[in-house]
Amino acid sequence: MEKTIIDANKSILSLDLKEIVRYKDLLYTLAYRDFKVRYAQTFLGLMWGVIQPFLTLVVFSLVFSRGLQINTGNTPYVLFAASGLASWTYFSTVMSQAGQSIIGAQGMVQKVYFPRLIVPLSKAIVGLIDFGIATIIIFVLMFFYQVSPSPNIIYLPFFLFMSIIASLGVGIWLSALTIRYRDFQQIVPFLVRFGMFFTPVAYPSNILVDRIPDWASIVFYLNPIAGIIDGFRWSILGTYPPSTLSYLSFVVVIILFISSLFYFKKVERTIADII
């Protein structure tokens, strides 16, 4: 039997990511449990993963395409919005669920030792299921509108990877902060609700950037998911390329992700006492 040694004096600079690998079975089990719970005892089951984005696209089309007449160039608006919605839905889902994850698993956290980081990580795996459904919807719409994939699609794995670590970076930070500051339980839904309007999900980012001061454009791209959505859309549909300011988003994502791991490691040893 493998022996686990818990050292209270271990440096917070030691992330010990190998321990996450040793507990990978628990990670997959938690992700599978969350997936089953989400659709348990529902009549439509996994179909909700299709119905929710479909209804959101209908509302977007009525408000932004018909009402505000947003110009998306040669790309049909529904397809344009679907590509933005896929990245945003994954980001917001992981952010909100990971933020509540440690509080929700407090019974297990207080009784059994395991790397606590596994709990928010499992939310990122479950979110990939909805992200996969949203991606399938995009390719179905491309077939319907006779739109061919862009040659830029070779860059899609990069933007997928950035989406995952952006979601995890924010989610891990929120999961650690929510343990001590429960106000974040109220702040996260607020961020999800209003954050979408400050992210180029339903409109091209150049429409906003062309009408605001330079300093405001920089603030806009400090949003970690803004540059990723531009890149995701560009890689699939070949729309306008990401702004040079998108690199700000990528830098923010990397800083958020690395700092979240160290901060979580710092509070991990006291989690069971606080919750």
Side-chain angles (χ1 to χ4, degrees):
M1 177 181 295
E2 186 175 344
K3 182 185 293 184
T4 300
I5 300 175
I6 304 173
D7 184 2
N9 297 317
K10 184 180 290 186
S11 170
I12 63 169
L13 297 178
S14 174
L15 293 175
D16 199 7
L17 297 180
K18 291 182 180 178
E19 192 178 37
I20 302 293
V21 177
R22 288 201 298 272
Y23 282 84
K24 62 181 183 302
D25 291 341
L26 177 60
L27 174 64
Y28 299 145
T29 300
L30 290 177
Y32 181 64
R33 184 202 61 178
D34 288 345
F35 173 70
K36 287 186 65 177
V37 168
R38 177 183 297 184
Y39 297 109
Q41 298 181 352
T42 60
F43 179 72
L44 296 176
L46 199 59
M47 280 299 294
W48 281 113
V50 178
I51 293 171
Q52 291 176 349
F54 173 77
L55 294 178
T56 306
L57 286 175
V58 170
V59 173
F60 277 5
S61 297
L62 291 175
V63 175
F64 292 96
S65 182
R66 296 293 180 87
L68 299 177
Q69 297 188 340
I70 295 292
N71 181 13
T72 57
N74 296 325
T75 306
Y77 179 80
V78 173
L79 193 51
F80 180 91
S83 58
L85 191 62
S87 294
W88 172 256
T89 301
Y90 179 72
F91 177 76
S92 60
T93 300
V94 175
M95 180 174 72
S96 54
Q97 293 191 0
Q100 307 283 339
S101 59
I102 297 294
I103 301 294
Q106 59 180 302
M108 187 170 66
V109 169
Q110 290 173 327
K111 294 175 183 175
V112 186
Y113 174 77
F114 63 94
R116 308 318 192 203
L117 189 58
I118 278 181
V119 180
L121 286 179
S122 67
K123 307 302 178 185
I125 296 177
V126 179
L128 284 174
I129 297 172
D130 289 334
F131 189 76
I133 293 173
T135 304
I136 291 172
I137 292 175
I138 292 172
F139 282 101
V140 170
L141 289 172
M142 290 174 71
F143 178 77
F144 178 78
Y145 285 107
Q146 299 292 300
V147 175
S148 302
S150 162
N152 306 323
I153 202 165
I154 58 174
Y155 298 102
L156 183 61
F158 169 76
F159 293 109
L160 289 176
F161 175 73
M162 292 299 287
S163 294
I164 293 172
I165 65 171
S167 308
L168 277 175
V170 177
I172 293 170
W173 259 111
L174 290 173
S175 66
L177 290 170
T178 305
I179 295 165
R180 188 176 295 274
Y181 309 104
R182 302 298 172 94
D183 290 321
F184 279 94
Q185 290 179 301
Q186 308 302 322
I187 293 174
V188 171
F190 174 83
L191 290 175
V192 171
R193 193 176 305 124
F194 289 95
M196 187 170 69
F197 295 102
F198 295 98
T199 304
V201 177
Y203 57 85
S205 57
N206 62 324
I207 287 182
L208 181 63
V209 170
D210 290 345
R211 301 177 183 181
I212 59 179
D214 291 343
W215 66 265
S217 299
I218 293 174
V219 172
F220 178 75
Y221 277 104
L222 287 177
N223 176 351
I225 199 69
I228 293 173
I229 288 181
D230 281 350
F232 184 81
R233 189 175 277 144
W234 167 75
S235 64
I236 293 182
L237 303 176
T239 55
Y240 58 90
S243 162
T244 52
L245 289 175
S246 295
Y247 290 102
L248 278 177
S249 296
F250 304 153
V251 171
V252 169
V253 167
I254 293 170
I255 293 174
L256 274 176
F257 181 67
I258 295 175
S259 61
S260 70
L261 293 177
F262 284 104
Y263 182 72
F264 193 93
K265 193 68 179 179
K266 179 182 177 183
V267 303
E268 184 178 29
R269 64 188 65 181
T270 60
I271 285 177
D273 299 326
I274 296 174
I275 62 175

